[in-house]
Amino acid sequence: MSETRPPADEQDLPLVAPFTAADVDLAERRCLHQGFFRLEELHLRHRLFEGGWSGRVVREVHHRHDAVGVLLYDVERDTVVLVEQFRAGALDDPDSPWKLEVVAGLVERGESVAEVARRETMEEAGCEVGELIELHTYYPSPGACDERVTLFCGLVDSRGLGGVHGLDEEHEDIRVHVLPFTRAWELLQAGRLDNAMCLIAFHWLAGERASLRARR
């Protein structure tokens, strides 16, 4: 039976992590699949919090491009712009594999995250972004995937937006929705906005919306 330990005092937690990649002994890295994404099997051991080393550990890691998400917000009209498209990873979703999301895309070599945000907004929503506000950079699932996501709020003029967009060569079929913030928040509360980018971005916007609107 594992020993029960008292929780650490939050004030004692360092701002910098106690370990780095130098505290991992990587014995083998094996490619299991190479397609648009890469799947690797890692054989490793790592240092332990109470000293010493772990036993040999085997983990599979899904290697992806880093990604960018953009919540498009019209300050003047208090509306948000969302996109809807089929998602293969949600094929077994009990409701639908078509998901409402913020604009998003992958970072290609040589691109900055801000460039990706503006490019994807035009490709997916037919819209130009004014001010870009960077929110967070985070790992959606670091236990199994190396992807890092940078999330923005992009200020836009939502008048005239809508229709179906996307690149034919990427098999994109993306429908654009312009919604009052209050309606979008209802959808979030009802579980319709059920992906990490939406949840994080909308909770940020809920806290900052009044100050953004006061800047008009």
Side-chain angles (χ1 to χ4, degrees), residues 145-166:
C145 183
D146 69 346
E147 177 188 40
R148 279 163 50 98
V149 172
T150 301
L151 200 54
F152 291 93
C153 178
L155 303 187
V156 299
D157 182 346
S158 64
R159 289 177 297 182
L161 298 184
V164 176
H165 298 266

Side-chain angles (χ1 to χ4, degrees), residues 91-104:
L91 185 60
D92 295 325
D93 186 278
D95 295 320
S96 173
W98 273 260
K99 293 298 177 182
L100 285 168
E101 303 172 336
V102 301
V103 163

Side-chain angles (χ1 to χ4, degrees), residues 112-180:
S112 71
V113 290
E115 288 171 339
V116 177
R118 294 184 183 280
R119 170 174 57 77
E120 290 293 336
T121 298
M122 179 57 69
E123 290 178 4
E124 294 194 354
C127 178
E128 291 188 359
V129 177
E131 182 180 354
L132 267 178
I133 304 168
E134 187 170 336
L135 311 186
H136 303 286
T137 296
Y138 64 95
Y139 288 93
S141 186
C145 183
D146 69 346
E147 177 188 40
R148 279 163 50 98
V149 172
T150 301
L151 200 54
F152 291 93
C153 178
L155 303 187
V156 299
D157 182 346
S158 64
R159 289 177 297 182
L161 298 184
V164 176
H165 298 266
L167 299 179
D168 291 340
E169 60 268 28
E170 295 184 8
H171 306 286
E172 292 179 330
D173 181 54
I174 300 171
R175 182 163 61 175
V176 174
H177 299 269
V178 179
L179 301 170

